[in-house]
Amino acid sequence: AVDLLCSLSSTLSGNQRNEEWTTLTEVCCYFANNKSSVVLGGQTCLPGALASVLSTSSEKETIRKCLLEGILCSAAAYGLADSVSTKDRFKNRWLDVGQVFGGYRSAALLLDALESAGEEHFPLLSRWHLAGKPLLKGFHSLAQSKANVDGSFSQLVVAVIRMLKGVRLSELNSQGATSKSTIITSGPASRGGRSRSYSFGKNEGVKYLSPYPRDMSDSIVSILNETTDSPLHKEIMISLYEIILSSASWRQEIFSRLDSATRQKIALGVLSAASGVLMNNADVILSSLPLEACDVAKLLVSKRMTEDELSKVTFVSDYIITNSSSLASDPAIDGLFGSIFKQLASLPKAREYDESVGFARQALLSALLELINNVLEKGDRHLELDREKKFDSWMNSLVDVLVGNGNSDYHLVSPRLKRTIFYILASFCDRFPAAVVPKLIPIIIGVMPPLSTSVAGSDGLAACLELAIPVYFKHSAKADLSPSDLFNGFIDHVSRYDTYSRVLLYQNFVGGLTKVIQDKNDMISPVGAFVAAVLAREMSSAPGDDSPTSDLPELSTRILSETGIQTRISAIWTIQCYAKDILFSVLQEENVKTGNLLYSVEDLSRIVCGPNSDATEESQKLCQVFIVAICDAVANAELRNVVKQSEGSSFETVLRMWQDLLLIQSTCNSHLGGFKSHEKHSFLESIVEVSGQALDWIQGYLPSHIFLAFVTSLMQDGETEELRSRAVQLIADRAASLDPRKPEAILFADMIPPLMELIKTTSSDASRLLKHSVFAAVETIGRSICLSSTTSREVSHNVDAFSDVVSFIASTIEKESNMIAGSFADITSSSRQLVGTGALCASTAIKICGPRAIPALTKLFKSLFEFLELANTFIKMTSRRDDNEVDWKEVNQARLMQLSFLRTFKALVEKLPLFLKPFLAQLLKVVSQIPETLRLESDNHSSLVETEMGQLQRAMTSYIPARHLVPAASESISLISDYSSILFTLKILTESVKASKTSEIVVQLNLILQSAFTLCDQHAGLVDSNALMNAAKDLVLALVLKLSEVQLRSLYGKFREWRRELDHNSERSKQRSLAFWEMSSTLSKHLKTIFLPCLTTVFADAVQELEDASSFLCKKDAIRTADGKKRQKIDSELEIRTLKSLLLCLEFSLRSDAYNGGAWIREAESQRYEMLLRPLGKLLQCRLPCSLGSAEMSFESVVQGKTSDSGCVIGCLVALASAAGDEQLWKPLNHSVLQACANETRSEVRKAGVSCLLSLIKSIGEEYMVLIPECLPVLSELLEDSDEEIAGLAQDCISHSEELLGESLQDSLR
């Protein structure tokens, strides 16, 4: 291109030229003269070249005009000589838009170059009027085309739109850049798309047109208002938004200086784009426009509330919120407020579910709130609304939004909308209280849900009240209103609702009252005043003369139920002040007014009766309601527990409540008898009674020193025993919840001597109730406080005090036992309670005083044993009756006696274990009877007794040494016949053995064995003795584990001596044999090979019993024994169980021997093996009596072992084979098994044989395969057995053998 321009320079220099050729000649000459620099500079040299041409030419204007005309020709694809006017070039063009690629690019590059050449050479206005404006008009004429806009055309559009920014650049410096600045332009990539974006940097070389030309602003408005949906128009719009409207400098330097009408037109265009979602970020651009308050007010004017117009309202509201700070300083802010309220009033009265209207209304209100806050923050110097009548109409419009003029549909506004309006009113209240506060009462009433609507579903009501009520309280005085005006209006309105709805509405109102900020010195609660007014109003509307006071106290409790503790206390105190004022008014007594009560007595009377009625009788009823409500409130457990620990204002309030209640009670007492009227006398009596109840509750949570001083006086000087007992109970209740680490705890510990002195000075006949209360109080103090004492002084003091307690309790229980005339049922209820409480108190006292309780042990144990035996006997007898015949009150007393006694025994065991030896045997005997009493199903305390039994059992085995416990337990076992009682003692004995050392156990060995022998003699073989025999086995096992092997053989020898020779005709001998082999099986299971030497000593006995069993069970006729006496077949379960226990013992031992290599069974040339094999092989084909119908006694159980995990013949044979471990020894065993498999008459024998063979194959494995050939003929026969189970077992034998051999046996089976 440069070479072409250079050659044209020489050609054109000598020829005549017209105006157009002159321009080209001068440009070509410049490039020819500066060829090298142009080649190096490339495209960027074009602005400098054009500037240089104009600076050296005398035809500047001609060249400038020619270049700009050339840009038009390039963009429109027409030559300079074509006879087409400028305005028709795009209309009559001969190429469609998007096809003049080179022309668009050339025009765009030249426009960029002319801009960069500087304002001096190519002024912006000249470029705009000669090229930019015509091109923009041409674009409008092409806007109907649907052709896509390519990158070159997009560059041209950007170059034209950039002129509308009004930026003027200074001249180029020597390097070709504008002076003192770097100009950064923006535009599309050359290949289409918008790969980059740029902006102008702030520098001194950039200036803006001033004033901004009208045709430029009109062009911007025209583009924004264009509705054609075409690619070209979208490209123009995008460029306008990105280059012009998004530029902060343009908005600041150009837009802010435009006239108001133009600003509004541009803002309206942007608003339309934002609401129509035509451009991304249009809402952001709108929010950044520097509009004045009057401009924004104009934007809010809408004639038709269409969806599009509602959307515009929302965007304008967002603008106000974003720019509220600047708008608040605008002098025209008043007009903006007016436009907002006007627009708010023009919105259609829509239901809540009309989302567009609701969203627009919410946006307007949010904008209004933000604007108000900023105006008030800046001093509202431009806002004088309180002087204008229209402010009242504005407030009415807000009320109309909430209340809806009685229209229930319109009343359905969102909770968020309600909160926003209340925030607006709260903000206005700070500035205009006189105008706003009177509106709050109808608004608060208006937000109530309609009568036909569920109050429970009224969302946002509580939040609205929490906003409005504190504002009303803060500013009501400035509007000549009082809180009572609000209370009365609200209560009168709510009284029309049903009871459930009224309570909910009252609770919401109280929630708002809790947000009211009060003076710290003001103890009168607005919540209490409101509740008092509610009770008075509810009383006036209650039907009938007798019912108005029945449910009102509960109503007050429900209203206050959702409040915090401190609020509740203040409210109760305020209600009590009203009650006192009413009472003193009725009695015509002088009364010191308490604080600034919101209602007077006369006000409350008017609420109840109206202005003209006699209020005396109704005032009395209202006073009663207040006092009962106070009593109900202070009786609340949560309130009691919290206030008991309170400090500060709540504490002072409670003290005043107590003092005033005492004053009320004493005043009523002083007037009792002074009135002839029965109604007034009854009124005073009821006040005395109810106030007394309230005093009782309050005294329960007074500070400790005040409380103790009060109850001590009452305890000593009370008129009746019931009153004194009540005072003692208050001490117990208070001590139970006291932290023992607090200093006041010692005050309660010091109360032990005075309490005990109180019952020592009273007669025993008339003081059981008092003694019961004292014992309960002492136990509570000891458990809650004294057990946690740490200092030596406190411990010493407690030991002295509680040692006297134990002694006195022992004497008291002894006296009660001496008065027993018969059974437990003959003992009076008060005596039972006293003994139970005394025992419970004794348990705590023993834990504290320890060895100091020793002198009272004999007396205490004797009495406790006597009472416990009676209680046990009573519950046993009760368990045999029907439930409808049982007196459950007496049963519960007996259970509680058991519980208290068990805790006393546990305390004695833990604290005095070495001093209990004389009492242990009797203790175990009596306590062991308790498990038998736990069979009563409907008894709720059985589980507690069972838990205490377990704890006592663990304590005895942990604390009492074996030298004391074992003899006592052995003696106890010999005295007990019931198996459940023996089981308890036996478990204690077992645990004691486990917890003791070997040296301690060896000394007691014979005694423990004797206990085990006694148990076996008495209970072995009995049906219901399994648990007992298991416990006996656990005892023997625990004993054995403490011994050495030598001691074990000696012990086992004693077992053998005890068993003696088996006599089949003696039941005792058979029972001992069963017990012996059960013990042996347990030992063999746990001791494994250690037991084999013991088994050796009785091996001959085992073989003989197996031989006898095989002889008895395998022959049909009777046999003759060695002594010549005739012996029948085995036909009792006892003998079968003995055989299974023997088999189990042998099985465990043989398995242990097999694991150890089988040395024991192969000793003496395998004689033991042969001795066992012979009877075991016979037993495979034994016959069991049909008379034994139990599954445990069946052939399958004894031989196959399929019904339980007890011993069986097959298990013993397999263990024998495993221990033998030799092919020669297996052959006779295999022969016996095959004989059983071949039994033709009995299928159960064949099944047992093949099962045994399968077990042998699985247990021994590959080594046993040497015997398979001789088994195959029998297995082949069994495969065709009619019993499918036998055939399946035979197939399993073959399959396992094939797996072990690795080859098929099918050929050998044919």
Side-chain angles (χ1 to χ4, degrees), residues 206-494:
V206 178
K207 297 181 180 179
Y208 290 86
L209 289 176
S210 182
Y212 192 70
R214 169 64 66 177
D215 55 353
M216 282 189 173
S217 61
D218 291 343
S219 297
I220 293 175
V221 173
S222 176
I223 293 171
L224 291 173
N225 293 333
E226 178 65 47
T227 59
T228 304
D229 185 15
S230 67
L232 177 57
H233 179 64
K234 289 182 179 179
E235 186 67 25
I236 294 172
M237 286 283 285
I238 291 173
S239 300
L240 178 66
Y241 274 90
E242 292 185 354
I243 299 172
I244 308 300
L245 299 177
S246 297
S247 172
S249 59
W250 181 86
R251 295 193 298 267
Q252 185 65 32
E253 299 294 337
I254 301 295
F255 182 82
S256 62
R257 298 175 183 177
L258 296 176
D259 61 273
S260 178
T262 304
R263 290 198 306 268
Q264 293 170 19
K265 290 178 182 179
I266 294 175
L268 186 58
V270 176
L271 177 61
S272 298
S275 60
V277 200
L278 298 177
M279 295 298 301
N280 292 331
N281 298 327
D283 54 338
V284 178
I285 294 173
L286 176 66
S287 299
S288 62
L289 292 177
L291 299 173
E292 296 179 356
C294 59
D295 301 330
V296 180
K298 292 291 185 180
L299 293 178
L300 277 175
V301 177
S302 299
K303 296 181 180 179
R304 295 180 298 110
M305 286 294 102
T306 62
E307 289 288 336
D308 186 54
E309 292 299 323
L310 290 173
S311 179
K312 290 180 180 179
V313 171
T314 303
F315 281 110
V316 175
S317 301
D318 291 341
Y319 179 89
I320 295 172
I321 293 173
T322 304
N323 300 276
S324 58
S325 179
S326 60
L327 291 174
S329 303
D330 197 308
I333 185 63
D334 192 57
L336 179 56
F337 273 114
S339 296
I340 293 175
F341 278 104
K342 183 178 180 180
Q343 186 66 52
L344 189 63
S346 67
L347 290 176
K349 303 300 186 289
R351 296 174 182 266
E352 185 180 12
Y353 50 74
D354 292 333
E355 295 182 359
S356 299
V357 177
F359 197 77
R361 184 182 288 113
Q362 178 63 53
L364 273 174
L365 289 171
S366 299
L368 180 62
L369 175 62
E370 193 68 27
L371 200 58
I372 291 170
N373 290 334
N374 279 277
V375 167
L376 296 177
E377 183 180 350
K378 294 179 181 296
D380 64 341
R381 61 181 181 276
H382 301 299
L383 197 62
E384 297 295 337
L385 297 180
D386 55 339
R387 299 179 183 176
E388 301 182 15
K389 294 182 180 179
K390 61 182 178 182
F391 181 70
D392 191 59
S393 67
W394 291 357
M395 294 298 99
N396 289 336
S397 66
L398 292 177
V399 174
D400 188 52
V401 171
L402 282 177
V403 180
N405 291 327
N407 186 339
S408 60
D409 291 337
Y410 178 55
H411 188 228
L412 297 173
V413 293
S414 67
R416 182 186 175 195
L417 190 71
K418 293 178 183 178
R419 288 195 299 270
T420 305
I421 293 176
F422 276 112
Y423 277 122
I424 292 171
L425 294 172
S427 299
F428 273 133
C429 273
D430 291 333
R431 181 68 176 82
F432 317 110
V436 179
V437 172
K439 305 292 182 183
L440 290 177
I441 295 178
I443 286 178
I444 291 174
I445 295 174
V447 297
M448 297 297 106
L451 291 173
S452 59
T453 306
S454 173
V455 175
S458 55
D459 297 335
L461 175 60
C464 293
L465 294 177
E466 289 176 4
L467 289 172
I469 293 175
V471 174
Y472 181 90
F473 266 75
K474 181 178 180 181
H475 302 288
S476 60
K478 297 178 182 178
D480 293 330
L481 295 172
S482 68
S484 60
D485 296 322
L486 174 61
F487 291 173
N488 294 338
F490 181 84
I491 294 170
D492 287 341
H493 178 78
V494 173

Side-chain angles (χ1 to χ4, degrees), residues 687-862:
I687 295 297
V688 170
E689 180 183 357
V690 177
S691 60
Q693 295 174 4
L695 280 171
D696 288 342
W697 285 110
I698 294 177
Q699 289 157 2
Y701 52 78
L702 285 173
S704 296
H705 59 286
I706 299 175
F707 166 80
L708 289 175
F710 173 77
V711 296
T712 301
S713 174
L714 186 61
M715 186 176 66
Q716 294 174 350
D717 303 329
E719 297 177 358
T720 64
E721 184 175 308
E722 289 76 11
L723 187 58
R724 287 182 288 164
S725 299
R726 177 59 181 159
V728 175
Q729 290 172 11
L730 289 176
I731 296 176
D733 294 341
R734 187 64 174 268
S737 59
L738 191 66
D739 186 351
R741 295 170 294 182
K742 287 190 174 183
E744 61 189 29
I746 194 171
L747 298 176
F748 286 84
D750 291 340
M751 288 295 297
I752 302 297
L755 286 171
M756 297 304 299
E757 191 64 27
L758 179 66
I759 56 177
K760 288 178 181 178
T761 58
T762 58
S763 62
S764 59
D765 295 334
S767 59
R768 279 177 178 163
L769 175 61
L770 186 58
K771 286 182 180 180
H772 167 76
S773 301
V774 169
F775 288 161
V778 171
E779 192 277 333
T780 303
I781 294 172
R783 172 171 42 83
S784 303
I785 298 173
C786 298
L787 282 175
S788 304
S789 300
T790 55
T791 65
S792 58
R793 177 187 172 279
E794 292 176 357
V795 172
S796 176
H797 174 273
N798 294 337
V799 168
D800 292 340
F802 280 93
S803 60
D804 293 340
V805 171
V806 174
S807 177
F808 185 81
I809 290 175
S811 299
T812 300
I813 297 178
E814 184 183 36
K815 290 179 182 178
E816 294 295 328
S817 67
N818 292 335
M819 290 187 287
I820 298 176
S823 63
F824 182 85
D826 298 326
I827 305 173
T828 62
S829 177
S830 60
S831 178
R832 297 171 192 166
Q833 292 178 351
L834 178 61
V835 171
T837 307
L840 195 63
C841 183
S843 67
T844 302
I846 290 167
K847 292 178 182 179
I848 296 172
C849 67
R852 293 283 294 273
I854 294 174
L857 288 184
T858 302
K859 190 185 298 184
L860 185 63
F861 269 118
K862 179 179 179 298

Side-chain angles (χ1 to χ4, degrees), residues 18 321 331-332 448 652 786 816 825 879 942 966 989 1109 1138 1156 1166 1212 1236:
N18 57 19
I321 293 173
M448 297 297 106
E652 295 176 2
C786 298
E816 294 295 328
S879 63
S942 297
V966 171
L989 186 57
T1138 303
N1156 205 35
S1166 303
C1212 194

Side-chain angles (χ1 to χ4, degrees), residues 969-980:
S970 300
E971 181 181 352
S972 176
I973 290 174
S974 64
L975 299 175
I976 302 172
S977 58
D978 182 73
Y979 82 94
S980 59

Side-chain angles (χ1 to χ4, degrees), residues 469-471 473-474 512-520 522 526:
I469 293 175
V471 174
F473 266 75
K474 181 178 180 181
L513 288 174
T514 59
K515 304 300 180 182
V516 175
I517 300 176
Q518 286 186 269
D519 187 354
K520 293 182 178 179
D522 187 6

